[in-house]
Amino acid sequence: DIQMIQSPSSLSASVGDRVTITCRASQLISNSLAWYQQKPGKAPKVLLRTAFRLHSGVPSRFSGSGSGADYTLTISSLQPEDFAAYYCQQYYVTPYTFGQGTKLEIK
Amino acid sequence: EVQLVQSGAEVKKPGESLRISCKGSGYNFPNYRITWVRQMPGKGLEWMGRIDPSDSYTDYSPSLQGRVTISADKSISTAYLQWNSLKASDTGIYYCARQPHRDAMDVWGQGTTVSVSS
């Protein structure tokens, strides 16, 4: 199985801050990477597909970058509604493994 | 509107069987795989397996192989996740999600909470 190492596991930030979450795969995954946001008690929602493609309706303050095995999610200016958990997932080969998640909290 | 609607919460005893469902609407159901994702209490997301409703081809996580069965009935646009003998460790929230070929899961069900306790 491909292991997805996501960091940090938790992060405290303020409204307006720029934050970055990273995800490293245990092998090359050819940009087959998605980022999801999950709020408490809700189903996850996809933010980015193919590492950097913004899903329909997702605000442009979210962006993705990376290649090979290393990928990054950046939120350029945190808004109150962005405080949530974030997960990366590779869909290069099954099982389509997730990172362990990053909990983004208000400082 | 494209949506996946899952069956309601379940409370079961260890050893009991269970089948939960996920009904798609607003799109051509056979054209998209359905994936099941588990979230144990207070934990992260875990990919369980998927099914191609057009031919019922399934693919399971090795860690769960044999514990669950994924199936689908394309005539009623519904996918299923089934256990023959539940354990307390099966307690959690189970999500279904639509997955286009070689792409992320773009539509999610609301989740089904399964509680297993004696």
Side-chain angles (χ1 to χ4, degrees):
Chain A
D1 299 3
I2 296 177
Q3 308 302 313
M4 301 299 291
I5 307 301
Q6 188 175 337
S7 63
S9 56
S10 64
L11 178 59
S12 293
S14 301
V15 172
D17 283 355
R18 178 184 179 92
V19 300
T20 298
I21 299 169
T22 63
C23 195
R24 170 167 285 181
S26 58
Q27 67 180 70
L28 302 181
I29 57 172
S30 191
N31 288 359
S32 296
L33 183 104
W35 290 97
Y36 300 92
Q37 177 193 66
Q38 186 181 31
K39 295 183 178 179
K42 299 294 187 182
K45 293 183 178 180
V46 64
L47 299 173
L48 293 147
R49 313 153 73 150
T50 324
F52 54 85
R53 283 175 48 211
L54 211 59
H55 185 62
S56 176
V58 174
S60 59
R61 63 181 180 273
F62 292 93
S63 64
S65 63
S67 63
D70 294 309
Y71 298 89
T72 299
L73 169 69
T74 299
I75 310 173
S76 60
S77 178
L78 275 173
Q79 298 302 300
E81 60 268 28
D82 299 337
F83 292 94
Y86 293 84
Y87 296 91
C88 62
Q89 185 208 23
Q90 66 81 18
Y91 50 89
Y92 184 67
V93 62
T94 60
Y96 291 158
T97 40
F98 289 91
Q100 70 270 38
T102 295
K103 187 174 182 181
L104 179 52
E105 299 174 313
I106 300 174
K107 185 183 288 186
Chain B
E1 179 192 6
V2 175
Q3 60 179 348
L4 296 173
V5 178
Q6 297 184 230
S7 50
E10 301 276 359
V11 179
K12 292 290 192 179
K13 292 184 174 4
E16 292 185 332
S17 62
L18 174 65
R19 188 176 77 167
I20 62 175
S21 66
C22 169
K23 183 173 177 60
S25 61
Y27 73 99
N28 191 2
F29 188 76
N31 284 5
Y32 296 82
R33 291 167 182 160
I34 295 291
T35 291
W36 287 94
V37 173
R38 176 170 75 175
Q39 189 165 38
M40 299 172 75
K43 301 298 183 183
L45 305 174
E46 180 182 5
W47 188 87
M48 299 179 70
R50 63 176 181 177
I51 187 165
D52 185 333
S54 66
D55 61 6
S56 289
Y57 174 81
T58 52
D59 195 355
Y60 294 93
S61 171
S63 65
L64 290 168
Q65 188 101 34
R67 288 276 301 122
V68 297
T69 301
I70 296 171
S71 61
D73 184 342
K74 62 184 178 183
S75 70
I76 56 171
S77 301
T78 301
Y80 303 97
L81 180 64
Q82 179 175 337
W83 294 260
N84 288 334
S85 181
L86 286 160
K87 299 179 180 180
S89 57
D90 293 316
T91 293
I93 302 173
Y94 293 84
Y95 295 100
C96 65
R98 186 182 83 160
Q99 186 156 23
H101 181 63
R102 284 290 188 195
D103 206 342
M105 295 179 284
D106 64 347
V107 179
W108 291 67
Q110 82 276 21
T112 296
T113 298
V114 174
S115 299
V116 184
S117 174
S118 54

